Amino acid sequence: MRSLFIAVALTLAVSHAAYADLKKLDKVKAAYMFNFTKFMTWSSINSDPVNFCVQNDEAFQQFLTQLVESRPTSSGASIRIVMLDGKQSCTFAYLIENDDSLVNLATSTIIISDLPNLIDRPAVFTFYEENNRLRFEIDLAEAERLELTISSELLKVAKIK
């Protein structure tokens, strides 16, 4: 558990000066998202680079791009941050709106969202705030469907659905 918080703090420290206009909460979300890739493995997805699609937020996409630049996932795959436009194959997708973007995603896409209820299927990771702190929930049934192996360290700090 402590190593996840240290990883998030170090990740944020590297990118603190850049993108000052992006809210601190969004920067913390970006750090968590990158660190999710370090604390999990996925057997059904063998892509390099790993495409991380971001929905409708160019500033967030640019910040996340800088954050993951030259940093691989736990499996050693490189990460590429792209806008969610229906043209890209997404390993991960960060959804901030409940719209038709979800319909165009492959059923193997690992969804991360701020929304508790998505239209078509659940997110594996859902962000929420509790006592002015960013938290996240993990949907174990969806993680199992996607054949994800999530580290016990990550599970310790998450709310389990």
Side-chain angles (χ1 to χ4, degrees):
M1 179 166 101
R2 184 175 176 204
S3 61
L4 176 64
F5 290 122
I6 291 170
V8 169
L10 288 174
T11 303
L12 282 175
V14 169
S15 301
H16 179 68
Y19 304 99
D21 58 332
L22 197 62
K23 292 188 293 186
K24 180 180 176 184
L25 183 65
D26 288 332
K27 291 177 182 179
V28 173
K29 287 177 188 177
Y32 269 122
M33 285 188 254
F34 170 65
N35 284 301
F36 289 161
T37 69
K38 292 180 170 184
F39 289 88
M40 60 185 281
T41 57
W42 47 95
S43 58
S44 61
I45 304 165
N46 295 317
S47 59
D48 189 4
V50 170
N51 281 343
F52 205 122
C53 301
V54 175
Q55 179 188 41
N56 302 330
D57 193 336
E58 190 173 331
F60 186 84
Q61 177 206 4
Q62 291 173 351
F63 179 79
L64 191 55
T65 298
Q66 181 197 18
L67 196 64
V68 304
E69 199 170 52
S70 303
R71 296 179 183 170
T73 65
S74 62
S75 66
S78 60
I79 301 173
R80 186 174 72 172
I81 310 300
V82 296
M83 287 301 283
L84 180 61
D85 60 9
K87 298 174 189 171
Q88 302 287 337
S89 172
C90 303
T91 310
F92 290 86
Y94 175 52
L95 304 178
I96 57 174
E97 297 175 6
N98 228 346
D99 66 11
D100 293 340
S101 299
L102 188 59
V103 175
N104 296 323
L105 292 174
T107 57
S108 61
T109 300
I110 301 164
I111 298 173
I112 302 170
S113 182
D114 294 339
L115 307 169
N117 299 307
L118 295 172
I119 295 171
D120 192 39
R121 63 180 187 264
V124 174
F125 299 96
T126 304
F127 289 116
Y128 66 96
E129 286 185 65
E130 182 178 80
N131 300 324
N132 293 323
R133 297 188 90 146
L134 182 65
R135 304 283 188 212
F136 59 92
E137 176 180 83
I138 298 176
D139 186 323
L140 287 181
E142 184 65 2
E144 185 176 311
R145 184 189 72 76
L146 292 169
E147 299 177 15
L148 303 178
T149 302
I150 300 174
S151 158
S152 61
E153 288 187 58
L154 191 57
L155 292 172
K156 285 180 198 174
V157 296
K159 177 179 172 186
I160 305 300
K161 181 177 181 182

